[in-house]
Amino acid sequence: MHDSLDFRSEFDEKKPSSDAAIYIYEFPASDNRPALKIYWYEGGRMPKLPEGVLSDSAGMKSELAKGGCMMVGDKNTMVSPGMRPNNPRLVDHWEEISCSPLEPTTPRAVGNPVQEIMAAIRGDIPKCGSNFDCAAPLTEMVLLGTIAIRSGKRVIYDPASMTFSVSSLNAYVKEPVRKGWEYGEELA
């Protein structure tokens, strides 16, 4: 990976593991969305941290040492320590924003996950909050990074046809079906 993208020394003096990686996902502009570039760091690689995290005034730096998610935007950065986004917060102006939160625009969960899926099955709600509309594309994106690392190649993928520009990588998308498990193959 490109060393100029790894700013681990700003965070601490630990060295990244030998299998550490930085994935760069590039999404073209579509409909009313501009082009988007996402950097995914793992194995001890770290991005350049915003000044608000480096100053550690809110304890974010020490929390991120254990892992987490950081989304850097043009106007602010959102940090969510740990593997689950249970406590996300903005780096700049968090105190003033958290004092007057916005009204939720996403429907809240109906009880626990089992209750929510049962409510969706009964038709009480249109769909579960934790539906596959978000989870499937995110999983697909993460798996593309895995394919890039395994192959050692730059991956250019067409999600509509589920194919790669390098045809040898297409075997990673749909592996051969084992004997006895062929049922439904013609549906895909």
Side-chain angles (χ1 to χ4, degrees):
M1 289 291 146
H2 197 279
D3 287 334
S4 68
L5 293 175
D6 183 17
F7 297 96
R8 185 71 186 189
S9 61
E10 285 187 1
F11 193 74
D12 62 26
E13 295 305 317
K14 293 178 186 172
K15 296 287 183 206
S17 65
S18 60
D19 59 349
I22 300 171
Y23 307 92
I24 303 171
Y25 298 93
E26 296 180 43
F27 298 93
S30 65
D31 300 329
N32 59 349
R33 295 183 199 147
L36 175 67
K37 190 180 280 193
I38 295 176
Y39 294 84
W40 182 296
Y41 300 81
E42 68 178 38
R45 298 267 185 213
M46 292 292 290
K48 182 170 179 56
L49 299 173
E51 187 54 44
V53 173
L54 288 174
S55 68
D56 207 32
S57 60
M60 284 185 244
K61 184 177 171 185
S62 58
E63 288 184 46
L64 280 174
K66 302 170 194 153
C69 177
M70 182 169 63
M71 295 183 200
V72 180
D74 294 335
K75 297 178 183 174
N76 209 332
T77 298
M78 185 169 65
V79 175
S80 184
M83 292 306 294
R84 298 271 183 225
N86 295 336
N87 191 21
R89 59 183 174 266
L90 296 172
V91 171
D92 296 324
H93 313 295
W94 177 241
E95 290 77 24
E96 64 189 70
I97 293 169
S98 63
C99 289
S100 56
L102 299 171
E103 286 295 319
T105 57
T106 304
R108 299 296 158 222
V110 176
N112 64 41
V114 173
Q115 291 170 322
E116 190 171 67
I117 197 165
M118 294 308 293
I121 290 169
R122 286 191 305 268
D124 298 342
I125 58 175
K127 61 183 175 181
C128 295
S130 57
N131 62 67
F132 294 110
D133 295 347
C134 296
L138 176 61
T139 302
E140 185 175 36
M141 184 185 96
V142 172
L143 292 175
L144 290 174
T146 303
I147 290 170
I149 291 296
R150 278 189 180 181
S151 68
K153 298 177 181 174
R154 182 171 193 250
V155 172
I156 299 174
Y157 178 72
D158 176 19
S161 65
M162 294 180 68
T163 58
F164 293 96
S165 62
V166 176
S167 61
S168 64
L169 299 178
N170 291 331
Y172 289 115
V173 174
K174 186 149 176 73
E175 295 182 4
V177 177
R178 292 181 294 162
K179 186 168 175 52
W181 294 88
E182 301 92 353
Y183 180 79
E185 272 300 288
E186 69 281 356
L187 301 175

